[in-house]
Amino acid sequence: MAAPCAARNWSPSPPDDDLDRAVALMREHSIRRLPFDEGDEPVGVISLGDLAVERDRGSALGDVSTAGPNT
């Protein structure tokens, strides 16, 4: 069961939160993925890779995050 390993000392963000707040939450809580919810319903997840693609596509993480699958 994964639940005991999950950190829950923070709350998911609403989907209309801005990227700066998402970055701040990820830094503050040392997390790599941030869930978004509306009320009690999960609606999505943003990752460090997503942020790298949006903010710094030329970085190593941005490049890896946009690469196609290895075949």
Side-chain angles (χ1 to χ4, degrees):
M1 177 183 288
C5 299
R8 288 298 295 168
N9 57 348
W10 53 275
S11 297
S13 293
D16 59 351
D17 236 351
D18 65 23
L19 288 182
D20 290 332
R21 177 153 162 71
V23 170
L25 285 170
M26 292 169 93
R27 282 185 176 152
E28 179 182 344
H29 298 287
S30 300
I31 55 177
R32 293 180 178 93
R33 291 165 196 85
L34 181 65
F36 286 86
D37 66 6
E38 289 187 54
D40 291 333
E41 293 294 317
V43 294
V45 175
I46 190 168
S47 70
L48 285 178
D50 297 329
L51 292 172
V53 169
E54 182 66 29
R55 297 258 173 116
D56 192 9
R57 186 176 290 268
S59 69
L61 182 57
D63 188 44
V64 167
S65 298
T66 59
N70 294 334
T71 55

